Amino acid sequence: MTPKPRTGSAGDILLEVRGLRVEGQSDDVWHEIVKGVNLTLRRGEVLGLIGESGAGKSTIGLAAMGYTKPGCRISAGTVMFDGTDLAKASEEAKRKLWGPRLSYVAQSAAASFNPAHRLIEQYAEIPVSHGVMGEGEAKKQAVDLFRRLRLPDPEHIGARYPHQVSGGQLQRAMTAMAMSCHPDLIVFDEPTTALDVTTQIEVLAAIKDVVRQLHTAAIYISHDLAVVAQMADRIMVLRYGELVEEAPTAQMLSNPQQAYTKSLWAVRSLHKKEDPGGDKILQIKNVDAGYGNAIKVLHDVSVEIPRGRTVAVVGESGSGKSTLARVITGLLPPLKGTVTFNGQPLPPALKSRPKELLRRLTMIYQMPDTALNPRRRVRDIIGRPLTHHLGLRGAARDKRVVDLLEMIELDRRFLDRLPSELSGGQKQRVCIARALAVEPDLIICDEVTSALDQIVAEGILKLLLRLQKELDVSYLYITHDLATVKAIADWVVVMHQGRVVQQGPKEQVLRPPHHPYTELLLSSVPEMDPKWLDGLLARRAAAASAKMAPVA
């Protein structure tokens, strides 16, 4: 059984939102999140929504499907989807549309999959439960979409559980699930945030191709302006739940009208020092590491982190960046080699490390959705390490929590909120405050700004740099965002397939001539040009053809 053909024609209006207002409840008080937004989306069109954290992007994207998060409600306006007002439709009517005709790709795939079921089973559940096709046909289609989305070993990867694939692979599997019923409209909420630059190129190209082939309309939400430029026909800029400006993509990029929009276009530059610093707070020498006896991930890795400086580790998904962090934190004892902290060998296993050592070496994780306890309020999430490591209780602890919130540009109104009541950027800032709470010597930052918009990310980077200057704290900064590397790093380590292929001062690594793999990473950073992605893919295809051509 195959998906039913669409009834509309290209260019017909599919979605029309008028006067949309969405409210959220906090402390029994309702406050507006979205304030009278209008939008129109035609069949086959891609609309980009950009703006900083808290602008209402995700709330609008969900409301376009007639859905609001718990604690929120559509208080006014209409959401007309192909003749049906989703703002007033019954839950039963909307559930018949969710999946077959309306689909959503969440920002955090890790928090959206059922860990107890295989990927292909979760894929097939959607079209089968909606009567779109049988299980056999659904699984066959899954393999085809896995292949088109550049997932490795597409014939067999569906047999894996969510924890057995990387974050980038899981995000692509979620994109495939959203496309399983060939819906009329897909809302993409930061679908490439967790991906390294080279994987992001492949996924963007795959999404763009599939959207074109299926003639699917899309709302593409992102804080990455260059990514939106590759995907969207039109762009809407949002701030504080209101529309700032709207225009076709090329026009918006070449001639933004509003001062706020122009500020989003600004290039980040924080003028970081690049001297190697003094003594080394952490030394990693000739480390091998892996999982079990069969899978070896790190091969002879050596890295040093100077006190009060930032070492950035960059590379694709699967290059070994996060595995290196797990070795340093004691979550994965090395198979070979040594790790020294403040001149003393680090016990290989976490359980062997004393409490004071755990305080001095902390970590900020990539995915705040899975790093925060969903049942604990912000005051407890930040306050627990203050009590456990520093012995703070009562009023002293509460005061320190408020101080930490102010450092990350949140206020005391957030004290009693649950993680589900925070935006993605706010969740990550809470994670950062928790790590800073115990006044560590070294913080391992694992993609800490990947979920943040440009303005908020720049604020976090400035905060990290200020703390480094004031406290002489060191950072091991794991990232796939080379713009962030340019902004914050003193020393850059490039990893590929578990090996260090290049390292040195930032200017030396980023200045031509590059190592071939470093060149691949740099060439994969999206530019503010709507034609950049298609041009890059065409150049790479031509280069590949030239290599395959027989020699005359």
Side-chain angles (χ1 to χ4, degrees):
M1 190 174 181
T2 56
K4 296 177 181 178
R6 294 181 175 81
T7 57
S9 302
D12 288 350
I13 292 178
L14 177 67
L15 177 72
E16 191 166 18
V17 177
R18 290 291 175 263
L20 176 67
R21 294 183 180 273
V22 180
E23 296 179 335
Q25 189 176 35
S26 178
D27 300 325
D28 297 323
V29 177
W30 291 94
H31 56 93
E32 277 199 326
I33 301 171
V34 177
K35 306 169 184 177
V37 168
N38 300 323
L39 70 84
T40 301
L41 184 65
R42 298 180 180 277
R43 294 183 184 275
E45 183 182 31
V46 179
L47 173 66
L49 300 184
I50 65 171
E52 52 191 308
S53 180
K57 306 185 299 294
S58 295
T59 302
I60 292 170
L62 290 170
M65 301 174 62
Y67 180 83
T68 58
K69 290 183 178 180
C72 296
R73 67 186 182 189
I74 296 175
S75 58
T78 59
V79 182
M80 299 298 298
F81 172 76
D82 200 18
T84 299
D85 186 358
L86 300 180
K88 297 180 177 63
S90 66
E91 287 297 306
E92 181 182 0
K94 288 187 289 189
R95 289 188 181 280
K96 289 180 179 179
L97 295 174
W98 293 339
R101 301 197 63 195
L102 293 163
S103 196
Y104 179 74
V105 178
Q107 180 175 345
S108 177
S112 303
F113 275 86
N114 187 325
H117 295 279
R118 301 179 191 273
L119 297 179
I120 201 161
E121 293 169 353
Q122 297 188 59
Y123 175 99
E125 180 183 5
I126 301 169
V128 171
S129 64
H130 286 284
V132 175
M133 63 184 73
E135 183 176 357
E137 186 179 355
K139 290 183 175 180
K140 182 179 178 181
Q141 178 182 269
V143 173
D144 178 59
L145 270 175
F146 290 165
R147 183 179 295 108
R148 288 157 72 177
L149 286 165
R150 277 75 162 180
L151 279 165
D153 193 13
E155 288 79 12
H156 303 103
I157 194 170
R160 299 182 188 178
Y161 291 94
H163 71 275
Q164 294 176 311
V165 299
S166 71
Q169 291 167 355
L170 202 57
Q171 198 71 21
R172 280 179 277 176
M174 175 178 268
T175 301
M177 286 174 62
M179 295 176 169
S180 62
C181 296
H182 297 186
D184 295 274
L185 170 62
I186 302 178
V187 177
F188 292 99
D189 194 350
E190 303 274 12
T192 62
T193 291
L195 308 183
D196 60 79
V197 288
T198 54
T199 305
Q200 177 177 253
I201 294 304
E202 295 180 348
V203 175
L204 288 176
I207 290 176
K208 199 168 185 176
D209 286 345
V210 173
V211 166
R212 284 172 177 169
Q213 291 168 13
L214 300 182
H215 193 54
T216 299
I219 295 176
Y220 198 98
I221 300 166
S222 180
H223 62 261
D224 191 327
L225 307 177
V227 167
V228 173
Q230 310 313 310
M231 304 301 295
D233 301 299
R234 283 186 298 120
I235 293 177
M236 292 177 62
V237 180
L238 300 160
R239 191 183 194 193
Y240 303 143
E242 296 180 291
L243 176 66
V244 174
E245 83 177 278
E246 178 180 2
T249 299
Q251 179 182 327
M252 181 74 79
L253 294 175
S254 63
N255 189 27
Q257 298 298 303
Q258 301 299 318
Y260 175 70
T261 307
K262 293 175 183 177
S263 75
L264 292 176
W265 268 228
V267 177
R268 187 192 305 156
S269 177
L270 302 181
H271 306 293
K272 189 75 174 67
K273 292 181 179 179
E274 295 176 33
D275 62 275
D279 63 307
K280 307 299 187 285
I281 191 170
L282 187 80
Q283 293 177 298
I284 303 161
K285 293 186 176 180
N286 308 115
V287 162
D288 288 1
Y291 301 92
N293 297 322
I295 305 174
K296 189 174 179 182
V297 178
L298 299 182
H299 306 268
D300 197 31
V301 171
S302 296
V303 176
E304 293 183 338
I305 303 178
R307 188 178 302 277
R309 294 291 181 263
T310 300
V311 173
V313 179
V314 299
E316 299 176 85
S317 177
S319 64
K321 306 186 301 296
S322 294
T323 299
L324 178 62
R326 292 173 66 84
V327 169
I328 297 170
T329 55
L331 297 174
L332 181 67
L335 302 172
K336 189 192 75 159
T338 60
V339 182
T340 304
F341 182 70
N342 271 329
Q344 299 296 319
L346 271 177
L350 179 66
K351 63 182 179 181
S352 303
R353 297 183 181 182
K355 184 177 177 180
E356 175 63 13
L357 182 57
L358 296 178
R359 180 190 72 79
R360 296 172 66 192
L361 198 166
T362 62
M363 186 166 179
I364 305 168
Y365 298 92
Q366 178 180 359
M367 298 180 183
D369 282 315
T370 55
L372 298 177
N373 187 327
R375 296 181 179 273
R376 297 291 180 183
R377 301 190 182 275
V378 168
R379 69 164 70 242
D380 298 318
I381 291 170
I382 300 176
R384 188 170 185 271
L386 291 171
T387 299
H388 182 73
H389 287 286
L390 303 181
L392 293 182
R393 290 179 172 81
R397 188 179 95 154
D398 289 344
K399 182 180 183 302
R400 182 58 179 158
V401 171
V402 171
D403 290 343
L404 287 161
L405 284 176
E406 290 176 352
M407 290 171 64
I408 59 169
E409 300 177 356
L410 299 178
D411 57 40
R412 61 173 58 249
R413 292 179 302 168
F414 289 84
L415 283 171
D416 291 310
R417 293 190 186 180
L418 295 167
S420 61
E421 299 174 304
L422 306 176
S423 70
Q426 290 165 348
K427 291 175 191 175
Q428 190 62 291
R429 281 180 275 176
V430 170
C431 289
I432 292 169
R434 178 175 59 183
L436 296 172
V438 295
E439 302 170 5
D441 297 327
L442 171 65
I443 301 177
I444 299 173
C445 305
D446 190 357
E447 302 278 12
V448 298
T449 59
S450 66
L452 306 180
D453 63 80
Q454 183 176 354
I455 291 178
V456 174
E458 184 174 343
I460 294 297
L461 293 175
K462 287 179 177 178
L463 170 63
L464 292 173
L465 291 175
R466 176 171 63 78
L467 291 167
Q468 187 172 67
K469 183 178 180 180
E470 294 175 355
L471 306 175
D472 206 32
V473 66
S474 305
Y475 302 127
L476 178 66
Y477 201 98
I478 297 170
T479 185
H480 62 258
D481 183 353
L482 292 174
T484 300
V485 171
K486 294 174 184 178
I488 198 171
D490 300 297
W491 190 270
V492 178
V493 177
V494 182
M495 294 190 67
H496 181 50
Q497 296 182 348
R499 301 181 186 275
V500 175
V501 297
Q502 185 177 9
Q503 66 173 304
K506 174 177 63 179
E507 287 300 327
Q508 176 184 316
V509 173
L510 299 182
R511 182 178 60 237
H514 304 115
H515 181 280
Y517 180 68
T518 307
E519 175 64 32
L520 174 65
L521 293 178
L522 290 169
S523 69
S524 299
V525 178
E527 298 176 4
M528 299 287 281
D529 176 0
K531 299 179 181 178
W532 173 83
L533 178 60
D534 292 336
L536 175 69
L537 296 173
R539 290 192 298 274
R540 289 185 176 177
S545 297
K547 286 183 180 179
M548 296 173 61
V551 178

